[in-house]
Amino acid sequence: SVSEKRYKLDLVIPDNQNEYGQSIAFSPDGKIIAVSGTGNDFTIKLWSVVTGQQIGIFRGHSNLVSAINFLPDGKTLVTAGY
């Protein structure tokens, strides 16, 4: 028999259209979600799907982060911006 876990994730999107995140990505194991910054926030934030807590933040882009993705190893996050 195959054991399966399901998680419920509520994404809260602000009413202000300028505040939408540009991109999201789930880690291969489904335990982490990466969300690119909103508005003038050029960061990528990592969130635990299990706890709902922010667990990390990456800085370094000088403009919007338009794409993010985890590599299959689950330890590497690639980003692109403009």
Side-chain angles (χ1 to χ4, degrees):
S1 126
V2 174
S3 176
E4 180 178 308
K5 287 186 178 181
R6 294 182 182 251
Y7 299 96
K8 180 180 181 233
L9 178 66
D10 292 323
L11 292 176
V12 178
I13 305 295
D15 289 335
N16 181 341
Q17 226 177 7
N18 293 330
E19 298 298 320
Y20 284 98
Q22 294 293 311
S23 185
I24 64 170
F26 282 90
S27 62
D29 64 7
K31 294 181 180 179
I32 298 172
I33 185 170
V35 181
S36 68
T38 59
N40 291 325
D41 177 5
F42 308 137
T43 64
I44 296 114
K45 293 181 175 86
L46 300 178
W47 299 87
S48 167
V49 173
V50 177
T51 67
Q53 299 294 312
Q54 182 178 322
I55 57 174
I57 187 166
F58 293 107
R59 294 180 174 88
H61 280 271
S62 59
N63 211 328
L64 291 176
V65 181
S66 57
I68 55 178
N69 201 7
F70 282 93
L71 293 185
D73 67 8
K75 297 177 182 180
T76 306
L77 185 69
V78 293
T79 67
Y82 56 91

